[in-house]
Amino acid sequence: MNFTLTVLGTASAMPRADRNQSAQVLQVHGRLFLIDCGENTQRRIREEGLSFAKIEAVFISHLHGDHVFGLLGLISTMGLYGRVETLRIFGPAALEAMLVFFRKYFGEGLPFELEFHAVKAASLQKIYENRNVSVSAFPLNHKIETYGYRFDSVPSLKNPVGAHQPSFAYVSDTAAFKELPSYVKGVDLLYHESTYTAEFEEQALKRFHSTSRQAARCAADAGAGALVLGHYSSRCRNLQVFLDEARPIFANTRAASDGDVFEIPLK
């Protein structure tokens, strides 16, 4: 599996016994990219049999705790495992203060470098590229500075010119807005937060979140190949409700559970 998404957590602000907070790992030709890092992420990485050493970069969408509280513990554990490769971390500029705090109080003897890249994107903007994948950031419509991330495979010996180039987009906390489908246009797999069902659409708007219907409209307008929902409110226990609301708008919708693995494009 050359382009694979592992969902580590699907809860929103309030974790549940069966749902951890936001984190996903995208695997591209054996290298790992961690997207958000809620509390308990390092344990979930171990449970899924993923390697701390192979995490090439971390992408943080915003500085609400359910998306970032696990980051400092993860960095510390990487040090205990003897990581020596530089860890690249991307996120809003305010994230740097957390990393400065970590270095000051817990960073003594850390055997690898932390390389922070402040994200600032007013539209779709490339922020990182290696020989296998190009990563772009785009703004979202949340209470605080928040970004989504798009991952596009680039031609390589393993995936030559002329072959299909897989793509994935991660839409974290956001209210719906008209530009969003253009940022994720044509991706094979779109992850879109769906904190609320349609019954709570007014609350979603007030809290700058999305419903499952709004996520489905975004996927349809973007011409995405498939849609994965997550970041569910703790009050919503039956995931079938999210599917029943989204599928009439966008048929190829999945409701993610912790531990789900999706090969991109979906088979």
Side-chain angles (χ1 to χ4, degrees), residues 62-120:
H62 65 297
L63 297 191
H64 280 160
D66 54 323
H67 295 259
V68 76
F69 275 167
L71 181 59
L72 301 189
L74 174 66
I75 293 170
S76 180
T77 297
M78 286 178 168
L80 293 175
Y81 269 89
R83 180 191 179 105
V84 294
E85 182 181 356
T86 296
L87 179 65
R88 300 173 182 88
I89 301 175
F90 297 80
L95 178 58
E96 186 172 20
M98 286 183 59
L99 300 178
V100 169
F101 168 84
F102 175 84
R103 289 189 186 101
K104 180 177 180 180
Y105 291 100
F106 306 103
E108 184 178 356
L110 192 70
F112 63 94
E113 294 295 322
L114 298 176
E115 182 180 292
F116 177 66
H117 299 264
V119 174
K120 193 68 177 177

CSV table of all heavy atoms in Angstrom, one decimal, residues 62-120:
chain,number,residue,atom,x,y,z
A,62,HIS,N,-4.6,23.6,13.9
A,62,HIS,CA,-4.8,24.7,14.8
A,62,HIS,C,-4.5,24.4,16.2
A,62,HIS,O,-4.3,23.2,16.6
A,62,HIS,CB,-6.2,25.3,14.6
A,62,HIS,CG,-7.3,24.4,15.0
A,62,HIS,ND1,-7.6,23.1,14.4
A,62,HIS,CD2,-8.3,24.5,16.0
A,62,HIS,CE1,-8.6,22.6,15.0
A,62,HIS,NE2,-9.0,23.3,16.0
A,63,LEU,N,-4.6,25.4,17.1
A,63,LEU,CA,-4.2,25.2,18.5
A,63,LEU,C,-5.3,25.0,19.4
A,63,LEU,O,-5.3,25.6,20.6
A,63,LEU,CB,-3.3,26.4,18.9
A,63,LEU,CG,-2.0,26.5,18.1
A,63,LEU,CD1,-1.0,27.5,18.8
A,63,LEU,CD2,-1.2,25.2,18.0
A,64,HIS,N,-6.3,24.3,19.1
A,64,HIS,CA,-7.3,23.8,20.1
A,64,HIS,C,-6.7,22.5,20.6
A,64,HIS,O,-6.2,21.7,19.8
A,64,HIS,CB,-8.7,23.7,19.4
A,64,HIS,CG,-9.4,25.0,19.3
A,64,HIS,ND1,-10.5,25.2,18.5
A,64,HIS,CD2,-9.2,26.1,20.0
A,64,HIS,CE1,-10.9,26.4,18.6
A,64,HIS,NE2,-10.2,27.0,19.5
A,65,GLY,N,-7.0,22.2,21.9
A,65,GLY,CA,-6.3,21.1,22.6
A,65,GLY,C,-6.5,19.8,22.0
A,65,GLY,O,-5.6,18.9,21.9
A,66,ASP,N,-7.7,19.5,21.4
A,66,ASP,CA,-8.0,18.2,20.9
A,66,ASP,C,-7.3,17.9,19.6
A,66,ASP,O,-7.4,16.8,19.1
A,66,ASP,CB,-9.5,18.0,20.7
A,66,ASP,CG,-10.2,19.1,19.8
A,66,ASP,OD1,-9.8,20.3,20.0
A,66,ASP,OD2,-11.1,18.8,19.1
A,67,HIS,N,-6.5,18.9,19.1
A,67,HIS,CA,-5.7,18.7,17.9
A,67,HIS,C,-4.2,18.8,18.2
A,67,HIS,O,-3.4,18.5,17.3
A,67,HIS,CB,-6.1,19.8,16.8
A,67,HIS,CG,-7.5,19.6,16.4
A,67,HIS,ND1,-7.8,19.0,15.2
A,67,HIS,CD2,-8.7,20.0,16.9
A,67,HIS,CE1,-9.1,19.0,15.0
A,67,HIS,NE2,-9.7,19.6,16.1
A,68,VAL,N,-3.8,19.2,19.4
A,68,VAL,CA,-2.4,19.4,19.6
A,68,VAL,C,-1.9,19.0,21.0
A,68,VAL,O,-0.7,18.9,21.2
A,68,VAL,CB,-2.1,20.9,19.4
A,68,VAL,CG1,-2.6,21.8,20.6
A,68,VAL,CG2,-0.6,21.2,19.1
A,69,PHE,N,-2.7,18.6,21.9
A,69,PHE,CA,-2.3,18.3,23.3
A,69,PHE,C,-1.3,17.1,23.3
A,69,PHE,O,-0.6,16.9,24.3
A,69,PHE,CB,-3.4,18.0,24.2
A,69,PHE,CG,-4.0,19.2,24.8
A,69,PHE,CD1,-5.3,19.2,25.5
A,69,PHE,CD2,-3.4,20.5,24.8
A,69,PHE,CE1,-5.8,20.3,26.0
A,69,PHE,CE2,-3.9,21.6,25.4
A,69,PHE,CZ,-5.1,21.5,26.0
A,70,GLY,N,-1.3,16.2,22.3
A,70,GLY,CA,-0.5,15.1,22.3
A,70,GLY,C,0.9,15.3,21.7
A,70,GLY,O,1.8,14.4,21.8
A,71,LEU,N,1.2,16.5,21.2
A,71,LEU,CA,2.4,16.7,20.4
A,71,LEU,C,3.7,16.7,21.3
A,71,LEU,O,4.7,16.0,21.0
A,71,LEU,CB,2.3,18.0,19.7
A,71,LEU,CG,3.6,18.4,18.9
A,71,LEU,CD1,3.8,17.4,17.8
A,71,LEU,CD2,3.4,19.8,18.2
A,72,LEU,N,3.7,17.3,22.5
A,72,LEU,CA,4.9,17.4,23.3
A,72,LEU,C,5.2,16.0,23.8
A,72,LEU,O,6.4,15.7,23.9
A,72,LEU,CB,4.7,18.4,24.4
A,72,LEU,CG,4.4,19.9,24.0
A,72,LEU,CD1,4.5,20.8,25.1
A,72,LEU,CD2,5.3,20.3,22.8
A,73,GLY,N,4.2,15.3,24.2
A,73,GLY,CA,4.5,13.9,24.7
A,73,GLY,C,5.1,13.0,23.6
A,73,GLY,O,6.0,12.2,23.8
A,74,LEU,N,4.6,13.2,22.4
A,74,LEU,CA,5.1,12.4,21.3
A,74,LEU,C,6.5,12.8,21.0
A,74,LEU,O,7.4,11.9,20.8
A,74,LEU,CB,4.2,12.7,20.0
A,74,LEU,CG,4.7,12.1,18.7
A,74,LEU,CD1,4.6,10.6,18.8
A,74,LEU,CD2,3.9,12.6,17.5
A,75,ILE,N,6.9,14.0,21.0
A,75,ILE,CA,8.3,14.4,20.8
A,75,ILE,C,9.2,13.8,21.8
A,75,ILE,O,10.3,13.3,21.5
A,75,ILE,CB,8.4,16.0,20.8
A,75,ILE,CG1,7.6,16.6,19.6
A,75,ILE,CG2,9.9,16.4,20.8
A,75,ILE,CD1,7.5,18.1,19.6
A,76,SER,N,8.8,13.9,23.1
A,76,SER,CA,9.6,13.3,24.2
A,76,SER,C,9.8,11.8,23.9
A,76,SER,O,10.9,11.3,24.1
A,76,SER,CB,8.9,13.5,25.5
A,76,SER,OG,9.6,13.0,26.6
A,77,THR,N,8.7,11.1,23.6
A,77,THR,CA,8.9,9.6,23.3
A,77,THR,C,9.8,9.3,22.2
A,77,THR,O,10.6,8.4,22.2
A,77,THR,CB,7.5,9.0,23.1
A,77,THR,OG1,6.7,9.2,24.3
A,77,THR,CG2,7.6,7.5,22.8
A,78,MET,N,9.7,10.1,21.1
A,78,MET,CA,10.6,10.0,20.0
A,78,MET,C,12.1,10.0,20.5
A,78,MET,O,12.9,9.3,20.0
A,78,MET,CB,10.4,11.0,18.9
A,78,MET,CG,9.1,10.8,18.1
A,78,MET,SD,8.9,12.2,16.9
A,78,MET,CE,7.6,11.5,15.9
A,79,GLY,N,12.3,11.0,21.4
A,79,GLY,CA,13.7,11.1,21.9
A,79,GLY,C,14.1,9.9,22.7
A,79,GLY,O,15.2,9.4,22.6
A,80,LEU,N,13.2,9.3,23.5
A,80,LEU,CA,13.4,8.1,24.3
A,80,LEU,C,13.7,6.9,23.4
A,80,LEU,O,14.5,6.0,23.7
A,80,LEU,CB,12.3,7.8,25.2
A,80,LEU,CG,12.0,8.8,26.3
A,80,LEU,CD1,10.7,8.4,27.1
A,80,LEU,CD2,13.2,8.8,27.3
A,81,TYR,N,13.1,6.9,22.2
A,81,TYR,CA,13.4,5.8,21.2
A,81,TYR,C,14.7,6.1,20.4
A,81,TYR,O,15.1,5.2,19.6
A,81,TYR,CB,12.2,5.8,20.2
A,81,TYR,CG,11.1,4.8,20.6
A,81,TYR,CD1,10.1,5.2,21.4
A,81,TYR,CD2,11.2,3.5,20.2
A,81,TYR,CE1,9.0,4.4,21.8
A,81,TYR,CE2,10.1,2.6,20.6
A,81,TYR,CZ,9.1,3.1,21.4
A,81,TYR,OH,8.1,2.2,21.8
A,82,GLY,N,15.4,7.2,20.7
A,82,GLY,CA,16.7,7.4,20.1
A,82,GLY,C,16.6,8.0,18.7
A,82,GLY,O,17.5,7.8,17.9
A,83,ARG,N,15.5,8.6,18.3
A,83,ARG,CA,15.4,9.2,17.0
A,83,ARG,C,16.5,10.2,16.8
A,83,ARG,O,16.8,11.0,17.7
A,83,ARG,CB,14.0,10.0,16.9
A,83,ARG,CG,13.9,10.6,15.5
A,83,ARG,CD,12.6,11.6,15.5
A,83,ARG,NE,12.5,12.2,14.2
A,83,ARG,CZ,11.6,11.9,13.3
A,83,ARG,NH1,10.8,10.9,13.5
A,83,ARG,NH2,11.6,12.5,12.1
A,84,VAL,N,17.1,10.3,15.6
A,84,VAL,CA,18.2,11.3,15.3
A,84,VAL,C,17.8,12.1,14.1
A,84,VAL,O,18.4,13.2,14.0
A,84,VAL,CB,19.5,10.6,15.1
A,84,VAL,CG1,20.0,9.9,16.3
A,84,VAL,CG2,19.4,9.6,13.9
A,85,GLU,N,16.8,11.7,13.3
A,85,GLU,CA,16.4,12.4,12.2
A,85,GLU,C,15.6,13.7,12.6
A,85,GLU,O,14.8,13.6,13.5
A,85,GLU,CB,15.6,11.6,11.2
A,85,GLU,CG,15.2,12.2,9.9
A,85,GLU,CD,14.3,11.4,9.1
A,85,GLU,OE1,14.1,10.2,9.4
A,85,GLU,OE2,13.8,11.8,8.0
A,86,THR,N,15.9,14.8,11.9
A,86,THR,CA,15.2,16.0,12.2
A,86,THR,C,13.7,15.8,12.0
A,86,THR,O,13.3,15.2,11.0
A,86,THR,CB,15.7,17.2,11.2
A,86,THR,OG1,17.0,17.4,11.5
A,86,THR,CG2,14.9,18.4,11.4
A,87,LEU,N,12.9,16.4,12.9
A,87,LEU,CA,11.4,16.3,12.8
A,87,LEU,C,10.9,17.7,12.3
A,87,LEU,O,11.1,18.7,13.0
A,87,LEU,CB,10.8,16.0,14.1
A,87,LEU,CG,9.3,15.9,14.1
A,87,LEU,CD1,8.8,14.7,13.2
A,87,LEU,CD2,8.7,15.7,15.5
A,88,ARG,N,10.3,17.7,11.2
A,88,ARG,CA,9.7,18.9,10.6
A,88,ARG,C,8.3,19.1,11.2
A,88,ARG,O,7.5,18.1,11.1
A,88,ARG,CB,9.7,18.9,9.1
A,88,ARG,CG,11.1,18.8,8.5
A,88,ARG,CD,10.9,18.6,7.0
A,88,ARG,NE,12.3,18.5,6.4
A,88,ARG,CZ,12.9,17.3,6.2
A,88,ARG,NH1,12.3,16.2,6.7
A,88,ARG,NH2,14.1,17.2,5.7
A,89,ILE,N,7.9,20.3,11.7
A,89,ILE,CA,6.6,20.5,12.2
A,89,ILE,C,6.0,21.7,11.6
A,89,ILE,O,6.7,22.8,11.5
A,89,ILE,CB,6.7,20.7,13.8
A,89,ILE,CG1,7.3,19.5,14.5
A,89,ILE,CG2,5.3,21.0,14.3
A,89,ILE,CD1,7.5,19.6,15.9
A,90,PHE,N,4.8,21.6,11.0
A,90,PHE,CA,4.2,22.7,10.3
A,90,PHE,C,2.9,23.0,11.1
A,90,PHE,O,2.2,22.2,11.5
A,90,PHE,CB,3.8,22.3,8.9
A,90,PHE,CG,5.0,21.9,8.0
A,90,PHE,CD1,5.6,20.7,8.1
A,90,PHE,CD2,5.5,22.9,7.1
A,90,PHE,CE1,6.7,20.4,7.3
A,90,PHE,CE2,6.5,22.6,6.3
A,90,PHE,CZ,7.2,21.4,6.4
A,91,GLY,N,2.6,24.3,11.2
A,91,GLY,CA,1.4,24.8,11.8
A,91,GLY,C,1.3,26.3,12.0
A,91,GLY,O,2.3,27.0,11.6
A,92,PRO,N,0.2,26.8,12.6
A,92,PRO,CA,0.1,28.2,12.8
A,92,PRO,C,1.3,28.8,13.6
A,92,PRO,O,1.9,28.0,14.4
A,92,PRO,CB,-1.2,28.4,13.5
A,92,PRO,CG,-2.0,27.2,13.2
A,92,PRO,CD,-1.0,26.1,13.0
A,93,ALA,N,1.7,30.0,13.4
A,93,ALA,CA,2.9,30.6,14.0
A,93,ALA,C,2.9,30.5,15.5
A,93,ALA,O,3.9,30.3,16.1
A,93,ALA,CB,3.0,32.1,13.6
A,94,ALA,N,1.7,30.5,16.1
A,94,ALA,CA,1.6,30.5,17.6
A,94,ALA,C,2.1,29.1,18.1
A,94,ALA,O,2.4,29.0,19.3
A,94,ALA,CB,0.2,30.7,18.0
A,95,LEU,N,2.2,28.1,17.3
A,95,LEU,CA,2.6,26.8,17.7
A,95,LEU,C,4.1,26.9,18.2
A,95,LEU,O,4.5,26.1,19.0
A,95,LEU,CB,2.5,25.8,16.6
A,95,LEU,CG,2.9,24.4,16.9
A,95,LEU,CD1,2.3,23.7,18.1
A,95,LEU,CD2,2.7,23.5,15.6
A,96,GLU,N,4.9,27.8,17.6
A,96,GLU,CA,6.3,27.9,18.0
A,96,GLU,C,6.5,28.1,19.5
A,96,GLU,O,7.5,27.6,20.0
A,96,GLU,CB,7.0,29.0,17.2
A,96,GLU,CG,8.5,29.0,17.4
A,96,GLU,CD,9.1,30.0,16.4
A,96,GLU,OE1,8.5,30.9,15.9
A,96,GLU,OE2,10.3,29.8,16.2
A,97,ALA,N,5.6,28.8,20.1
A,97,ALA,CA,5.7,29.1,21.6
A,97,ALA,C,5.7,27.8,22.4
A,97,ALA,O,6.4,27.6,23.4
A,97,ALA,CB,4.7,30.1,22.0
A,98,MET,N,4.8,26.9,21.9
A,98,MET,CA,4.8,25.6,22.6
A,98,MET,C,6.1,24.8,22.5
A,98,MET,O,6.5,24.2,23.4
A,98,MET,CB,3.6,24.7,22.0
A,98,MET,CG,2.2,25.1,22.4
A,98,MET,SD,1.0,24.0,21.7
A,98,MET,CE,1.5,22.5,22.4
A,99,LEU,N,6.7,24.9,21.3
A,99,LEU,CA,7.9,24.2,21.1
A,99,LEU,C,9.1,24.8,21.8
A,99,LEU,O,10.0,24.1,22.3
A,99,LEU,CB,8.2,24.1,19.6
A,99,LEU,CG,7.2,23.4,18.7
A,99,LEU,CD1,7.5,23.5,17.2
A,99,LEU,CD2,7.0,22.0,19.2
A,100,VAL,N,9.1,26.2,22.0
A,100,VAL,CA,10.1,26.9,22.8
A,100,VAL,C,9.9,26.4,24.2
A,100,VAL,O,10.9,26.2,24.9
A,100,VAL,CB,9.9,28.4,22.6
A,100,VAL,CG1,10.7,29.1,23.7
A,100,VAL,CG2,10.3,28.8,21.2
A,101,PHE,N,8.7,26.3,24.7
A,101,PHE,CA,8.4,25.9,26.1
A,101,PHE,C,9.0,24.5,26.3
A,101,PHE,O,9.7,24.2,27.3
A,101,PHE,CB,6.9,25.9,26.3
A,101,PHE,CG,6.5,25.2,27.6
A,101,PHE,CD1,6.6,25.8,28.8
A,101,PHE,CD2,6.1,23.8,27.6
A,101,PHE,CE1,6.2,25.1,30.0
A,101,PHE,CE2,5.7,23.2,28.7
A,101,PHE,CZ,5.8,23.8,29.9
A,102,PHE,N,8.8,23.6,25.3
A,102,PHE,CA,9.2,22.2,25.4
A,102,PHE,C,10.8,22.2,25.5
A,102,PHE,O,11.3,21.5,26.3
A,102,PHE,CB,8.7,21.4,24.2
A,102,PHE,CG,9.3,20.0,24.2
A,102,PHE,CD1,8.7,19.0,24.9
A,102,PHE,CD2,10.5,19.7,23.4
A,102,PHE,CE1,9.3,17.7,24.9
A,102,PHE,CE2,11.0,18.4,23.4
A,102,PHE,CZ,10.4,17.4,24.2
A,103,ARG,N,11.4,22.9,24.6
A,103,ARG,CA,12.9,22.9,24.5
A,103,ARG,C,13.4,23.4,25.9
A,103,ARG,O,14.4,22.9,26.4
A,103,ARG,CB,13.4,23.8,23.4
A,103,ARG,CG,13.1,23.2,22.0
A,103,ARG,CD,13.9,24.1,21.0
A,103,ARG,NE,13.6,23.7,19.6
A,103,ARG,CZ,12.7,24.4,18.8
A,103,ARG,NH1,12.1,25.4,19.3
A,103,ARG,NH2,12.6,24.0,17.6
A,104,LYS,N,12.8,24.4,26.4
A,104,LYS,CA,13.3,25.0,27.7
A,104,LYS,C,13.2,24.1,28.9
A,104,LYS,O,14.1,24.0,29.7
A,104,LYS,CB,12.6,26.3,28.0
A,104,LYS,CG,13.0,27.0,29.2
A,104,LYS,CD,12.3,28.3,29.5
A,104,LYS,CE,12.8,29.0,30.7
A,104,LYS,NZ,12.1,30.3,30.9
A,105,TYR,N,12.1,23.4,29.0
A,105,TYR,CA,11.8,22.6,30.2
A,105,TYR,C,12.0,21.1,30.0
A,105,TYR,O,12.3,20.4,31.0
A,105,TYR,CB,10.4,22.9,30.7
A,105,TYR,CG,10.2,24.3,31.2
A,105,TYR,CD1,9.6,25.2,30.5
A,105,TYR,CD2,10.7,24.6,32.5
A,105,TYR,CE1,9.4,26.5,31.0
A,105,TYR,CE2,10.5,25.9,33.0
A,105,TYR,CZ,9.9,26.9,32.2
A,105,TYR,OH,9.7,28.1,32.7
A,106,PHE,N,11.9,20.6,28.8
A,106,PHE,CA,12.0,19.2,28.6
A,106,PHE,C,13.0,18.7,27.5
A,106,PHE,O,13.1,17.6,27.2
A,106,PHE,CB,10.6,18.6,28.3
A,106,PHE,CG,9.6,19.0,29.3
A,106,PHE,CD1,8.6,19.9,29.1
A,106,PHE,CD2,9.5,18.3,30.5
A,106,PHE,CE1,7.7,20.3,30.0
A,106,PHE,CE2,8.6,18.6,31.5
A,106,PHE,CZ,7.7,19.6,31.2
A,107,GLY,N,13.6,19.7,26.8
A,107,GLY,CA,14.3,19.4,25.6
A,107,GLY,C,15.8,19.0,25.8
A,107,GLY,O,16.5,18.7,24.9
A,108,GLU,N,16.3,19.1,27.1
A,108,GLU,CA,17.7,18.8,27.3
A,108,GLU,C,18.0,17.4,26.9
A,108,GLU,O,17.3,16.4,27.4
A,108,GLU,CB,18.0,19.0,28.8
A,108,GLU,CG,19.5,18.8,29.1
A,108,GLU,CD,19.9,19.1,30.5
A,108,GLU,OE1,19.0,19.5,31.3
A,108,GLU,OE2,21.0,18.9,30.9
A,109,GLY,N,19.0,17.2,26.1
A,109,GLY,CA,19.4,15.9,25.7
A,109,GLY,C,18.6,15.3,24.5
A,109,GLY,O,18.8,14.1,24.2
A,110,LEU,N,17.6,16.1,24.0
A,110,LEU,CA,16.8,15.5,22.9
A,110,LEU,C,17.8,15.2,21.7
A,110,LEU,O,18.5,16.1,21.3
A,110,LEU,CB,15.8,16.6,22.4
A,110,LEU,CG,14.7,16.1,21.5
A,110,LEU,CD1,13.7,15.1,22.2
A,110,LEU,CD2,13.9,17.3,20.9
A,111,PRO,N,17.8,14.0,21.2
A,111,PRO,CA,18.8,13.6,20.2
A,111,PRO,C,18.5,14.0,18.8
A,111,PRO,O,19.2,13.5,17.9
A,111,PRO,CB,18.9,12.1,20.4
A,111,PRO,CG,17.5,11.7,20.8
A,111,PRO,CD,17.0,12.9,21.6
A,112,PHE,N,17.5,14.8,18.6
A,112,PHE,CA,17.2,15.2,17.2
A,112,PHE,C,16.7,16.7,17.2
A,112,PHE,O,16.3,17.2,18.2
A,112,PHE,CB,16.1,14.3,16.6
A,112,PHE,CG,14.8,14.3,17.3
A,112,PHE,CD1,13.8,15.1,16.9
A,112,PHE,CD2,14.5,13.4,18.3
A,112,PHE,CE1,12.5,15.1,17.5
A,112,PHE,CE2,13.3,13.4,19.0
A,112,PHE,CZ,12.3,14.3,18.6
A,113,GLU,N,16.7,17.3,16.0
A,113,GLU,CA,16.3,18.7,15.9
A,113,GLU,C,14.9,18.8,15.6
A,113,GLU,O,14.3,18.0,14.9
A,113,GLU,CB,17.1,19.4,14.8
A,113,GLU,CG,18.6,19.5,15.0
A,113,GLU,CD,18.9,20.4,16.2
A,113,GLU,OE1,18.2,21.5,16.3
A,113,GLU,OE2,19.8,20.1,17.0
A,114,LEU,N,14.2,19.9,16.1
A,114,LEU,CA,12.9,20.2,15.8
A,114,LEU,C,13.0,21.4,14.8
A,114,LEU,O,13.5,22.4,15.1
A,114,LEU,CB,12.1,20.6,17.0
A,114,LEU,CG,11.9,19.6,18.1
A,114,LEU,CD1,11.2,20.2,19.3
A,114,LEU,CD2,11.1,18.4,17.5
A,115,GLU,N,12.4,21.2,13.6
A,115,GLU,CA,12.5,22.2,12.6
A,115,GLU,C,11.0,22.8,12.4
A,115,GLU,O,10.2,22.1,11.7
A,115,GLU,CB,13.0,21.6,11.3
A,115,GLU,CG,13.2,22.6,10.2
A,115,GLU,CD,13.8,21.9,8.9
A,115,GLU,OE1,14.9,21.5,9.0
A,115,GLU,OE2,13.0,21.7,8.0
A,116,PHE,N,10.7,23.9,12.9
A,116,PHE,CA,9.4,24.5,12.8
A,116,PHE,C,9.2,25.3,11.6
A,116,PHE,O,10.0,26.2,11.3
A,116,PHE,CB,9.0,25.3,14.1
A,116,PHE,CG,7.6,25.9,14.0
A,116,PHE,CD1,6.5,25.1,14.0
A,116,PHE,CD2,7.5,27.2,14.0
A,116,PHE,CE1,5.2,25.6,13.9
A,116,PHE,CE2,6.2,27.8,13.9
A,116,PHE,CZ,5.1,27.0,13.9
A,117,HIS,N,8.1,25.2,10.9
A,117,HIS,CA,7.7,26.0,9.8
A,117,HIS,C,6.3,26.6,10.0
A,117,HIS,O,5.3,25.9,10.1
A,117,HIS,CB,7.6,25.1,8.5
A,117,HIS,CG,8.9,24.4,8.2
A,117,HIS,ND1,9.8,25.0,7.2
A,117,HIS,CD2,9.5,23.3,8.6
A,117,HIS,CE1,10.9,24.2,7.1
A,117,HIS,NE2,10.7,23.2,8.0
A,118,ALA,N,6.3,27.9,10.2
A,118,ALA,CA,5.0,28.6,10.4
A,118,ALA,C,4.2,28.6,9.1
A,118,ALA,O,4.7,29.1,8.1
A,118,ALA,CB,5.3,30.0,10.9
A,119,VAL,N,3.0,28.2,9.2
A,119,VAL,CA,2.1,28.2,8.0
A,119,VAL,C,1.4,29.5,7.9
A,119,VAL,O,0.8,30.0,8.9
A,119,VAL,CB,1.1,27.0,8.0
A,119,VAL,CG1,0.1,27.1,6.9
A,119,VAL,CG2,1.9,25.7,8.0
A,120,LYS,N,1.3,30.1,6.8
A,120,LYS,CA,0.5,31.3,6.5
A,120,LYS,C,0.0,31.2,5.1
A,120,LYS,O,0.8,31.4,4.1
A,120,LYS,CB,1.4,32.6,6.7
A,120,LYS,CG,0.6,33.8,6.8
A,120,LYS,CD,-0.3,33.9,8.1
A,120,LYS,CE,-1.1,35.1,8.2
A,120,LYS,NZ,-2.0,35.1,9.4
